[in-house]
Amino acid sequence: MKIFKAIGLGILASALAISGAAAQTKTVKIATEGAYAPWNFTGAGGKLEGFEIDLANDLCARMKVTCEIVSQDWDGIIPALNAKKYDAIMAGMNITDKRLEVIAFSRPYASGLHGFATMKDSPLAKLAGTGERVNFDKDPAAAEKIIGEWKALLKGKTVGTQTATVNLAFLEKYFKDTATIREYKTTEQHDLDMAAGRVDAIFAAHSSLKATIDQPEFKNMMIAGAGVSGGVLGRGVAVGLRKDDAELKTAFDTAIQAAIADGTIQKLTQKWFKVDMSPQG
Amino acid sequence: MDFEFMQETFLRLLSGVPLTLNLAFTSVAFGAVLAMLIALMRMSGVRVLEAFAKGYVFVFRGSPLLVQIFLIYYGLGQFRPTLQEWGLWSFFREPYWCAILALTLNTGAYASEIFRGGLQAVPAQQVEAARACGMSGFLLFRRITFPIALRQALPAYGSELILMVKATSLASIITMMEITGIAAKLISQTFRAVEVFIVAGAIYLILNFIITRLIMALEWWLSPHLRHPPVPKASVEAVHV
Amino acid sequence: MQQLSYFELIGFGPNGWGNALLIATGMTLAVALCGFIAGAVIGTLVAWAKLSSSIVARSLADGYTTVLRGIPDLLVIYLFYFGGSAALGAIGSLFGAEGFIGMPAFVTGAIAIGIVSGAYQAEVFRGAFQVVSRGELEAARSVGMHRWLMFRRVVAPQVLRYAIPGLGNTWQLILKESALISVTGLVELLRQSHIAAGSTRRPFDFYLTAAILYLLITWVSTTLFQRAETYSMRGIRRAS
């Protein structure tokens, strides 16, 4: 038995030595979902593309580190960060209080609106406020009004959204007793179910909904109701990091600050979202 | 480990047990009927039916259940207009029925082989004896073949039942909130994967333990001829004398 | 945008996913094979423990097979994926290593499959061992063979022969189980189909292709196992 123990320790020690050596070359492993166009998605042949892939490469160049971008299912993306599967998350993730309990965030690198989408011939196409913006932090009165109007139309309907997102938190806060909420692992899956008519509406980030509607298969889908932000929807999209990794947080903060200052983020959001989505404030 | 958290998790996961059992038993019930049909086809001696049964079993045993679920749920969703025309859409619209369909088709393939094994294990002499007594057709099947085959197949069918309870965990992938679905949701809220999965695993273990015991009891009840005859009390008293 | 035909979609052209699917199929085979080997090692050890005279070893082995066969494989894989690295990190920090000890998805997947299938393979080996006649073991001992020599010359060849059908079944099981590894992010056949279905919005085409590829592997490997069985039984007269 002693021999086995010795061999085991030997293997472990050499494994540690290898990982120790790897750490010195400063490779930062970044996880993304790879199923959230145009933020991050997988193109023909399986290559990762999107806003966050471009941004990650830019930030890594600024931080002078080598980056490795890996894809990871959304519903396990935070536990796997804490399990040290990778060092950072760039996957359209919003800063929320709930998430801040378990991980740290860099400063935001983008912000955007969220809202409903439905089919053009659906009664839900009449959801109030289409084309308008409501910020739940700055304008609580308008927020309360629009929630009331939406509740009346959504009564008894089924709404799809991605699990473990701010979108789900929003639906659960305001429509838990009004509508049936169905949770999906990816936005692509709820898009497919919206087109198939299994749900009456979906709730997601406008950026992602617009990318879907642009595709010919989804030309009968439309964004319905006002674009909302703030409140449980969080304080902008940022890099998720482990709490004890202060060094990496500083590096990301500095790099993002620089990318905002020289207009890189504005340029990249224009390229991928057709609008400027640089963080406000 | 945080026992208070695990206790709370346990209570929340318990609310998924009814759906898990519902999925498992509904599909096993439908699957048993389907399996019987497939097994009879396979043994019918008609070549077309035999080939169909063989092909069916090959396809559903040879590919992962997860692929079958995706194919039925998202795959068939691509053909909504056609399905609507055939009046089948209200069935395929519901994730519950898609899950039941996938699980039923799957267990149908496995169970048909178990039934076939059971039917083939019926001793020829028993059937001959029954024929000699003038039994035939359905009476022979009901009185002789089926009971013997059932007894033979029961242990294997018990394992199949366990496998089905385990397989229902895949329904979580198409939005069904059974035990694994709720576990995934809890993780997304608490980010404590290991504790939640340990509790979920324990619940499945308890469920399967109960099912195993029930099947064993049924086996015992169905095979009185294999039990040891009860020891006559008189001999025990005789020792004392 | 014009709709691509099915063959353009899964072909090898600029918009085709053929290459990616083939690589992913290779990955499925690789992870299944490594899992199978890991499972065989674990299975042998557990079967040994089950047949041993030590009560502790026996009950540990029984506990292992009961637990592994009683909880869904999906849970085992999740647990291993999230728990594995945390445990490794904890062990690492015991030895004073700081920070990152990651396990690649492939290794996690292969070990998870090995641990799950080990429970099944243990039963296969145990069953096969019990078929080896006591007389032969006694004969081997009486000619003075040591345990290891006896294992290598008498036990292993016979157990393997009787275990082939059972191992064939386990291989099928593992192959299908490898699809569950897709949840850990390893790009094997199902995950690649998943990615392709999402990005082209043609789920039916890709899941169907995946199912066909799995069936193809199943068919080829069934044939191989049957050949192996016939070969290993060439010197044995069947009862029937």
Side-chain angles (χ1 to χ4, degrees), chain A residues 107-150:
Chain A
R107 54 162 302 149
Y109 55 77
S111 70
L113 299 169
H114 301 251
F116 288 100
T118 186
M119 289 315 196
K120 282 176 182 159
D121 56 3
S122 159
L124 293 181
K126 292 197 293 285
L127 279 173
T130 306
E132 293 167 26
R133 295 167 166 235
V134 178
N135 187 316
F136 276 55
D137 291 326
K138 290 174 189 150
D139 199 350
E144 200 177 318
K145 181 166 165 280
I146 202 136
I147 292 291
E149 288 172 1
W150 283 352

Side-chain angles (χ1 to χ4, degrees), chain A residues 31-187:
Chain A
T32 194
E33 192 194 356
Y36 190 53
W39 293 81
N40 57 76
F41 59 97
T42 315
K47 202 172 165 298
L48 285 170
E49 291 171 48
F51 165 67
E52 278 164 333
I53 313 302
D54 283 0
L55 182 63
N57 287 327
D58 179 84
L59 295 179
C60 288
R62 286 175 205 271
M63 296 190 288
K64 298 195 174 58
V65 294
T66 331
C67 276
E68 189 192 340
I69 303 176
V70 294
S71 61
Q72 157 72 37
D73 273 359
W74 173 258
D75 56 0
I77 208 162
I78 288 181
L81 172 73
N82 281 333
K84 302 189 176 174
K85 292 275 164 194
Y86 35 76
D87 311 305
I89 301 171
M90 289 180 76
M93 187 179 276
N94 279 279
I95 306 172
T96 65
D97 294 334
K98 192 98 197 170
R99 287 180 184 139
L100 280 170
E101 286 171 17
V102 284
I103 57 169
F105 280 102
S106 71
R107 54 162 302 149
Y109 55 77
S111 70
L113 299 169
H114 301 251
F116 288 100
T118 186
M119 289 315 196
K120 282 176 182 159
D121 56 3
S122 159
L124 293 181
K126 292 197 293 285
L127 279 173
T130 306
E132 293 167 26
R133 295 167 166 235
V134 178
N135 187 316
F136 276 55
D137 291 326
K138 290 174 189 150
D139 199 350
E144 200 177 318
K145 181 166 165 280
I146 202 136
I147 292 291
E149 288 172 1
W150 283 352
K151 265 188 181 164
L153 269 180
L154 285 171
K155 198 152 193 69
K157 303 285 185 194
T158 304
V159 184
T161 197
Q162 190 181 14
T163 193
T165 56
V166 291
N167 300 314
L168 177 63
F170 182 84
L171 289 180
E172 285 195 327
K173 177 161 183 190
Y174 298 107
F175 304 103
K176 200 171 186 177
D177 305 320
T178 317
T180 309
I181 301 163
R182 202 175 278 171
E183 294 169 38
Y184 291 84
K185 277 172 82 77
T186 67
T187 57

Side-chain angles (χ1 to χ4, degrees), chain A residues 9 12 16 19 42-46 71-73 76 79-80 83-87 185 188-189 191-192 212 215-218, chain C residues 1 14 17 20 78 81-82 85 91-92 95 97 99-103 108 183-185 191-192 194-195 198-201 203:
Chain A
L9 285 178
L12 195 66
L16 293 180
S19 66
T42 315
S71 61
Q72 157 72 37
D73 273 359
K84 302 189 176 174
K85 292 275 164 194
Y86 35 76
D87 311 305
K185 277 172 82 77
E188 285 164 350
Q189 288 178 351
D191 292 349
L192 288 172
T212 305
Q215 301 189 359
E217 293 91 338
F218 294 90
Chain C
M1 216 163 80
W17 288 75
Y78 272 135
Y81 181 64
F82 292 119
S85 282
I91 295 169
F95 289 91
F100 189 76
I101 304 178
M103 248 204 293
T108 315
V183 299
T184 68
R191 187 166 181 91
Q192 190 61 270
H194 219 51
I195 292 168
S199 98
T200 59
R201 320 269 165 172

